[in-house]
Amino acid sequence: MPTARRGVGMVNRRGANWSLESAPWAAGKACAAVTGQLAKWKYRPAPETVTAVEAVTTLLVEAAVADGGSKVSVHLSDQDGQACILALSHHTALTTGHDDAGGDVLHQITAHQAVTGCGTDTGPDGRRLWAVIGLG
């Protein structure tokens, strides 16, 4: 029996996701959702880490919105005191493979000291941009 097209998947960790209209206000809504979920998971990061989470979420979502899809999804997971934030553009007309265009966004993301890793690629479901942030 055929299965539905599979998007982002994860195992052995908590996760949450939100689907948002691809609009200028999406980044603000995503920031509130991500920081709210981390609080529900009982994370109490230092103020500078909260600032980094908000800034990185904004960069990820704004880049996904700029791709021009009709929606953006934001995925959050945690493991070992770190959070992975992923934004997916859902713009299916993009060329698949390594995403050189996302390089500038990655440099902006890595400017935040709390970021331990980030990346971007493009697949059949659009461009994925992600960052891992230490919450300790």
Side-chain angles (χ1 to χ4, degrees), residues 3-136:
T3 59
R5 192 170 98 195
R6 187 174 174 180
V8 175
M10 61 185 147
V11 295
N12 299 330
R13 63 193 54 120
R14 295 180 287 196
N17 61 72
W18 304 269
S19 182
L20 306 168
E21 180 183 347
S22 183
W25 52 260
K29 194 153 188 117
C31 284
V34 167
T35 56
Q37 187 63 53
L38 291 173
K40 287 179 187 174
W41 288 341
K42 307 290 189 229
Y43 285 105
R44 302 290 183 257
E48 60 271 10
T49 303
V50 173
T51 299
V53 167
E54 292 171 343
V56 167
T57 301
T58 297
L59 288 166
L60 294 170
V61 173
E62 285 177 347
V65 167
D67 283 348
S70 61
K71 71 176 183 171
V72 171
S73 60
V74 178
H75 304 262
L76 174 68
S77 63
D78 76 322
Q79 183 176 355
D80 300 329
Q82 295 185 325
C84 180
I85 306 165
L86 180 142
L88 177 60
S89 72
H90 295 280
H91 189 284
T92 58
L94 300 173
T95 304
T96 61
H98 177 73
D99 180 21
D100 291 326
D104 186 49
V105 172
L106 298 182
H107 288 296
Q108 294 175 50
I109 289 169
T110 57
H112 296 277
Q113 190 172 8
V115 173
T116 61
C118 63
T120 181
D121 72 341
T122 306
D125 50 356
R127 181 161 61 143
R128 292 177 290 265
L129 299 112
W130 58 269
V132 176
I133 299 178
L135 299 172

